[in-house]
Amino acid sequence: MNISSLQKARYEYTPKLPQMLRGGIAEISVLEGAETKSVADCEKIQALFPNTYGKKEIVFQKGQNTSAPKKQVVGVILSGGQAPGGHNVICGLYDALQSTNPENVLYGFKNGPIGLIEDDYVIFDDAYIDQYRNTGGFDIIGSGRTKLETNEQFAVVAEVCKKHGITAVVIIGGDDSNTNAAVLAEYFAANHTGVQVIGCPKTIDGDLKNEDIDCSFGFDTATKTYSEIIGNIQRDANSAKKYWHFVKVMGRSASHVALECALKTQPNICLISEEVAEKKMSLSQIADYIADSVEARAARGMNFGVAVIPEGVVEFVPEFAVLIAEINELLAGSKADEFNALPSWDEKYAFIKNGLTKESMEVFAILPQGIQQQLFLERDPHGNVQVSLIESEKLFSAMVADKLSARKKAGTYSGKFSPLHHFLGYEGRCAFPSNFDADYCYSLGYNAFMLIQYGYNGYLSKISNLSKPAAEWVAGGMPITKMMNIERRHGEDKPVIKKALVELDGKPFKFFEAHREAWAVETAYVYPGAIQYYGPAEVCDLTTRTLALEKE
Ligand code: FBP
């Protein structure tokens, strides 16, 4: 294999464990805390998880290991979108297994949950694992988005586990995958399989967090990567002084990624979807808000700027959400074929005009034609518009251009507006993990093994106190059912882990809110530069501004 010099150097990096996990497995004992209850809907969750509900929170500490000696055969899967550090979760798990008993075995099931169903796996050994230490990506075994959620699937997984003598399954995934981990754990317990399930919190989106999860892994590296690029774009903008850059960043519905990038780089504009929803902002109001910054900067001779747009923002604009719902309805069933058979855009436009309410047609009419057509092109398997594929960075720049030409006519604006567009997402999901993510992920994997060894089932591998240096991190476990509530999904009540959106009364948003007016007009850019892997801890080991502000 051809490898870069950084990759070679990263193979040698020793991830930092929390103090309580250092010194070998023989010295790790467990301290059980209070019994837990779910964050909401306790009775319903308890009824759905009679075997795994209410278990105790646990913390590891230095002391005599009292777990029963037992050969462990563990299966691991990576689930969902890539996030930097996933390889290290597996490396930490592998090292803990091997250092406890060289007879222990780690199976890696391929391409996500489907690997467990299709019994498609690799068995890890030192040579295999060593190629992936401290590297980005999920290519060690691949990932996938198949969901493990039905009893039929669970029965197949139980068979696969039985066939290989698997004692525990580790699921590395986001909120849905960890919810499903809890359901699988309950199934295993109810059916007396003896197989344990442990979850690990993954996603670059940062929306899997709560009082037990300081942050999901991958968020740190991905936002550092995007912030490096945004910083570079800002420096280019400030050098050339002729472009407005509209940068959309991934993150699904939540704006954690956009907010963290804004805290790091101080762009002129950063939209926060949760605020757009709270203030019930219209597309036109958002465009005016951005145009105000363009105009104010132009008045100071600065016809350039940077606006950060969170991926999910249009879903949060109430009038747009209504428009999408109407379009979904308009094209339901065979009506989609009727629409698609129309030969010209003019005829399609007439069909749309005929089918939408007056209010939604007004919203539709102000969209640039490219976006209008996108709404009718990209459908998901259920026939719904895929909102995340809408090029909102182009939508807003076009709307801002319209606002500015109106202002020009009115004589209030005389600047130049040349927009450029970027979408940052895939660029950051497989970056070499930052030291923080490399350490955090290795600890999550190592800790997952400790939970297995001590016999816990349906627990999330919990590493907390993450705003402090790794030595001060706290390792333990939390029953996943503690993080659950009941939500309506696809017309049914489902037990799920609550998705964390940006809290508008939280410290990260408050800090941003207190500074954004100045950033909108001034050039207050910060250039974070590339992730540093070697050098002083205050440069290399620092995690996110979000976490620092939340925990200050
Ligand atoms: P997860 O929720 O699975 O961690 O995915 C994160 C993410 O990168 C989102 O930010 C983005 O919307 C989505 O995945 C893109 O999905 P895909 O990789 O299927 O294109």
Side-chain angles (χ1 to χ4, degrees):
M1 184 169 32
N2 292 324
I3 55 171
S4 67
S5 43
L6 179 65
Q7 185 160 334
K8 215 182 275 173
R10 290 309 275 170
Y11 286 159
E12 305 305 323
Y13 178 77
T14 307
K16 300 183 271 297
L17 283 169
Q19 195 62 45
M20 58 185 63
L21 296 184
R22 294 180 191 175
I25 305 284
E27 292 176 23
I28 303 172
S29 69
V30 71
L31 182 68
E32 289 201 331
E35 285 176 357
T36 57
K37 53 183 187 170
S38 57
V39 286
D41 308 308
C42 299
E43 278 176 23
K44 286 184 184 165
I45 305 279
Q46 183 166 20
L48 290 165
F49 296 89
N51 296 283
T52 49
Y53 184 85
K55 302 283 181 206
K56 293 173 177 163
E57 168 175 13
I58 73 113
V59 169
F60 292 113
Q61 57 181 11
K62 286 269 174 207
Q64 179 68 41
N65 187 328
T66 54
S67 64
K70 172 183 174 190
K71 180 183 166 188
Q72 300 286 2
V73 180
V74 177
V76 63
I77 59 165
L78 291 161
S79 182
Q82 284 69 249
H87 289 168
N88 265 25
V89 180
I90 297 178
C91 295
L93 177 62
Y94 177 83
D95 287 351
L97 276 158
Q98 288 300 302
S99 61
T100 305
N101 178 356
E103 305 276 285
N104 285 344
V105 183
L106 182 59
Y107 283 77
F109 287 92
K110 291 187 189 170
N111 306 321
I114 193 85
L116 260 176
I117 295 170
E118 294 179 346
D119 195 17
D120 186 8
Y121 61 86
V122 294
I123 296 178
F124 292 114
D125 58 18
D126 289 353
Y128 196 118
I129 285 285
D130 288 349
Q131 298 172 67
Y132 292 95
R133 291 186 185 275
N134 308 303
T135 57
F138 276 6
D139 44 324
I140 187 168
I141 43 175
S143 185
R145 292 199 183 277
T146 318
K147 293 190 189 312
L148 270 188
E149 53 189 354
T150 66
N151 276 351
E152 292 71 31
Q153 290 173 320
F154 295 158
V156 175
V157 174
E159 272 309 305
V160 169
C161 289
K162 197 167 162 198
K163 175 178 159 196
H164 298 294
I166 285 176
T167 51
V169 174
V170 174
I171 295 182
I172 303 170
D175 52 337
D176 279 348
S177 305
N178 278 290
T179 294
N180 294 337
V183 184
L184 180 64
E186 177 63 30
Y187 178 94
F188 281 164
N191 290 281
H192 311 288
T193 60
V195 183
Q196 299 156 242
V197 182
I198 302 295
C200 289
K202 169 238 76 164
T203 178
I204 62 152
D205 298 344
D207 58 1
L208 175 52
K209 69 172 172 182
N210 51 44
E211 56 183 30
D212 295 306
I213 304 174
D214 285 356
C215 74
S216 54
F217 79 74
F219 179 69
D220 180 72
T221 309
T223 53
K224 279 180 173 146
T225 307
Y226 305 145
S227 298
E228 180 206 349
I229 300 171
I230 294 168
N232 294 349
I233 289 172
Q234 288 182 158
R235 209 154 207 166
D236 195 288
N238 196 20
S239 305
K241 303 197 189 297
K242 60 179 180 182
Y243 295 123
W244 260 88
H245 295 268
F246 285 72
V247 188
K248 181 167 88 167
V249 290
M250 259 187 189
R252 284 193 198 279
S253 303
S255 305
H256 299 290
V257 172
L259 179 57
E260 172 63 21
C261 292
L263 292 170
K264 279 204 172 84
T265 61
Q266 303 187 182
N268 305 105
I269 295 288
C270 175
L271 301 179
I272 301 295
S273 308
E274 293 81 347
E275 185 185 25
V276 166
E278 167 106 347
K279 293 187 172 164
K280 300 191 171 40
M281 289 176 84
S282 65
L283 291 174
S284 172
Q285 282 170 326
I286 297 172
D288 264 323
Y289 168 65
I290 302 173
D292 287 348
S293 167
V294 176
E295 185 181 323
R297 286 177 62 74
R300 296 173 175 217
M302 296 182 288
N303 288 300
F304 64 92
V306 172
V308 174
I309 316 281
E311 180 176 30
V313 67
V314 286
E315 284 174 69
F316 288 76
V317 178
E319 60 184 8
F320 201 87
V322 173
L323 170 66
I324 296 295
E326 285 189 23
I327 291 177
N328 288 338
E329 193 55 35
L330 187 61
L331 296 192
S334 61
K335 284 184 278 177
D337 296 335
E338 194 187 323
F339 174 81
N340 289 330
L342 295 170
S344 69
W345 175 243
D346 282 350
E347 281 161 277
K348 286 184 169 148
Y349 198 92
F351 178 98
I352 296 162
K353 200 169 172 188
N354 202 25
L356 294 181
T357 58
K358 185 172 155 283
E359 294 73 27
S360 287
M361 193 56 211
E362 274 166 19
V363 178
F364 187 73
I366 57 169
L367 303 177
Q369 197 187 84
I371 303 283
Q372 289 177 336
Q373 291 175 335
Q374 250 172 36
L375 293 177
F376 288 85
L377 281 179
E378 311 281 3
R379 337 271 309 149
D380 73 9
H382 307 286
N384 295 328
V385 174
Q386 294 200 59
V387 183
S388 67
L389 297 182
I390 295 168
E391 293 176 306
S392 43
E393 69 282 21
K394 293 188 182 157
L395 165 66
F396 287 118
S397 85
M399 292 188 70
V400 169
D402 285 350
K403 295 277 178 196
L404 293 172
S405 46
R407 292 179 189 196
K408 228 172 213 171
K409 277 189 201 133
T412 56
Y413 165 75
S414 59
K416 281 194 196 121
F417 178 66
S418 306
L420 292 175
H421 307 103
H422 315 262
F423 171 40
L424 301 180
Y426 301 99
E427 295 81 349
R429 301 198 313 180
C430 286
F432 277 98
S434 61
N435 286 357
F436 172 83
D437 272 327
D439 299 345
Y440 179 34
C441 290
Y442 190 85
S443 302
L444 283 170
Y446 201 94
N447 188 60
F449 169 73
M450 292 313 305
L451 292 166
I452 294 167
Q453 184 65 13
Y454 272 101
Y456 293 101
N457 180 30
Y459 273 66
L460 189 101
S461 177
K462 174 177 168 179
I463 304 287
S464 52
N465 211 24
L466 295 178
S467 59
K468 297 284 185 323
E472 295 169 43
W473 292 353
V474 178
M478 183 59 73
I480 301 175
T481 50
K482 191 217 160 198
M483 302 166 200
M484 293 177 128
N485 67 164
I486 300 284
E487 286 177 25
R488 201 94 188 133
R489 297 268 172 101
H490 305 297
E492 272 179 66
D493 279 350
K494 290 260 181 199
V496 293
I497 300 176
K498 207 170 170 12
K499 233 186 222 316
L501 297 179
V502 168
E503 287 176 10
L504 300 181
D505 55 0
K507 287 183 184 161
F509 179 78
K510 286 283 167 209
F511 183 93
F512 167 71
E513 192 183 31
H515 293 85
R516 66 177 162 187
E517 256 177 61
W519 299 349
V521 181
E522 293 159 17
T523 300
Y525 303 152
V526 174
Y527 313 118
I531 296 175
Q532 300 296 306
Y533 298 95
Y534 301 97
E538 64 272 22
V539 178
C540 301
D541 293 354
L542 267 196
T543 183
T544 58
R545 294 276 296 128
T546 301
L547 201 55
L549 288 162
E550 279 169 351
K551 304 286 175 188
E552 78 181 0

